[in-house]
Amino acid sequence: MDGAFDSISSHGGWGFIIQDDHGTMVKAGACDKKFLMNPLHAELFACLVGVRMAASMGLSRVILETDATLVKAVVEGDEYRLSAWGGIITQLRLLLMSEFSSFSICVCPRLCNSVADALAAYGSYALSMWDDVPLFVEGLVASDYAAANE
């Protein structure tokens, strides 16, 4: 998952891609989000939406991949529990603990997150959900997969 944020308008977008254990895309989504506070807010919202979709699909195990180290720290730690993002963090934690038999959060290089990045940018302008790889990210899916397996 990835979030996009424009500091001038406080508007952004989110994007996620759900892949199976072979790296094949099974679901992707993107949408705009208004009234964001900062990039972390956009990233956490993207994470929450992606996790909700994985739960609605009945998946039992999930590995969250983000290019934002702070997202991993915030979700795994307690330092931001009482922050402005505390509600999103609490929702995300409860969803992960109640809906999945196992979960982990991994920080991956931005190079391996280009699909989610492109979806977040696209989401800044339109709501979309896909069950097949969208044409505009087709090449990025292969590129991310190859970069992750190096």
Side-chain angles (χ1 to χ4, degrees), residues 1-17 29-50 66-67 71 88 110 113 115-130:
M1 80 299 196
D2 203 7
F5 176 72
D6 178 357
S7 60
I8 295 170
S9 66
S10 294
H11 181 189
W14 53 259
F16 71 83
I17 179 170
C31 191
D32 70 326
K33 179 71 177 145
K34 295 181 176 147
F35 310 112
L36 292 168
M37 293 179 271
N38 58 22
L40 177 60
H41 191 192
E43 295 281 347
L44 288 171
F45 197 81
C47 190
L48 181 61
V49 173
T66 178
D67 60 10
V71 169
I88 292 174
R110 196 169 295 263
N113 201 35
V115 175
D117 182 62
L119 291 171
Y122 181 85
S124 296
Y125 305 100
L127 167 63
S128 299
M129 292 285 173
W130 301 275

Side-chain angles (χ1 to χ4, degrees), residues 17 22-23 52 79 92 101 127 143-144 146:
I17 179 170
H22 302 291
R52 281 181 181 157
E79 297 82 15
L92 184 55
S101 61
L127 167 63
S143 171
D144 275 4

Side-chain angles (χ1 to χ4, degrees), residues 38-108:
N38 58 22
L40 177 60
H41 191 192
E43 295 281 347
L44 288 171
F45 197 81
C47 190
L48 181 61
V49 173
V51 168
R52 281 181 181 157
M53 179 56 71
S56 74
M57 294 171 65
L59 303 179
S60 62
R61 298 178 326 178
V62 67
I63 299 171
L64 304 176
E65 291 183 350
T66 178
D67 60 10
T69 306
L70 188 54
V71 169
K72 179 177 172 68
V74 164
V75 175
E76 291 179 344
D78 284 329
E79 297 82 15
Y80 288 83
R81 182 173 47 90
L82 298 176
S83 72
W85 310 282
I88 292 174
I89 295 165
T90 300
Q91 285 180 46
L92 184 55
R93 284 182 182 166
L94 289 173
L95 193 59
L96 287 167
M97 289 186 290
S98 66
E99 296 293 327
F100 302 99
S101 61
S102 72
F103 67 90
S104 62
I105 303 171
C106 300
V107 177
C108 62

